[in-house]
Amino acid sequence: MKINDLIDLAFKAKENAYAPYSNFKVGAVLIVKDGRKFIGCNVENASYGLSMCAERVALFKAVSEKCRDFESLILVSDSEEFCFPCGACRQALWEFGCDLEIIVVNKKKEIKKAKIRDLLPEAFSSHKEGNPVFGSKSC
């Protein structure tokens, strides 16, 4: 799939968002290195702490299907600004690799790209070189 098709898929996912409190809908597409794609949208709750961001919905769907090797995440909203992942999502995504490319798209379909390592410097991680418990994958 081409990047524009993936962006369109993320905008379609955004339409499924349940956001009655913020009215801020977000859509995500998480691309696995083998080509599979998992979509997500934000799901709010009256108890705000129980709400879930679009990128974690896509991530958890992928992980539940035994996917762990991700290439990129596309994140869209209806904002004129760029909507980057929140801190909780950055940490959740970091768990599966520090080289994940994050592509954010605003409502004008302008694009910004960053690596998760740049969005979450000094992340809490088991991916530190020489970690005797979790291995030696270095980020």
Side-chain angles (χ1 to χ4, degrees), residues 6 43 47 54 76 85 87 96 102 111 127 134:
L6 293 167
V43 180
S47 176
V76 304
F96 297 94
I102 307 297
I111 297 171
H127 304 302
F134 297 103

Side-chain angles (χ1 to χ4, degrees), residues 1-9 29 31 37 74:
M1 265 185 142
K2 296 181 181 179
I3 186 72
N4 289 337
D5 295 331
L6 293 167
I7 290 169
D8 289 343
L9 186 59
V29 177
I31 298 104
K37 293 149 201 68
I74 298 174

Side-chain angles (χ1 to χ4, degrees), residues 2-136:
K2 296 181 181 179
I3 186 72
N4 289 337
D5 295 331
L6 293 167
I7 290 169
D8 289 343
L9 186 59
F11 273 104
K12 276 184 167 177
K14 178 188 64 64
E15 295 308 312
N16 293 334
Y18 179 73
Y21 306 103
S22 71
N23 292 312
F24 189 76
K25 294 182 174 187
V26 179
V29 177
L30 182 62
I31 298 104
V32 183
K33 288 186 180 174
D34 68 10
R36 286 183 283 174
K37 293 149 201 68
F38 292 87
I39 63 168
C41 62
N42 55 318
V43 180
E44 295 180 349
N45 189 282
S47 176
Y48 295 127
L50 297 178
S51 297
M52 187 62 61
C53 299
E55 47 271 59
R56 279 185 284 152
V57 170
L59 176 66
F60 296 163
K61 286 170 72 174
V63 170
S64 75
E65 295 296 323
K66 298 183 181 179
C67 295
R68 307 284 190 278
D69 200 13
F70 305 115
E71 182 176 299
S72 58
L73 174 94
I74 298 174
L75 192 61
V76 304
S77 74
D78 286 331
S79 176
E80 290 191 26
E81 303 298 319
F82 293 98
C83 178
F84 283 90
C86 72
C89 289
R90 292 175 192 202
Q91 183 65 51
L93 292 164
W94 175 276
E95 182 71 17
F96 297 94
C98 57
D99 287 324
L100 179 69
E101 182 176 48
I102 307 297
I103 302 167
V104 293
V105 183
N106 65 10
K107 76 176 190 177
K108 295 185 240 177
K109 294 196 176 180
E110 298 169 321
I111 297 171
K112 279 194 175 184
K113 297 179 180 182
K115 295 283 188 179
I116 195 69
R117 72 168 66 240
D118 299 321
L119 297 178
L120 191 63
E122 301 300 325
F124 181 81
S125 177
S126 63
H127 304 302
K128 301 293 184 190
E129 193 165 329
N131 185 323
V133 178
F134 297 103
S136 60

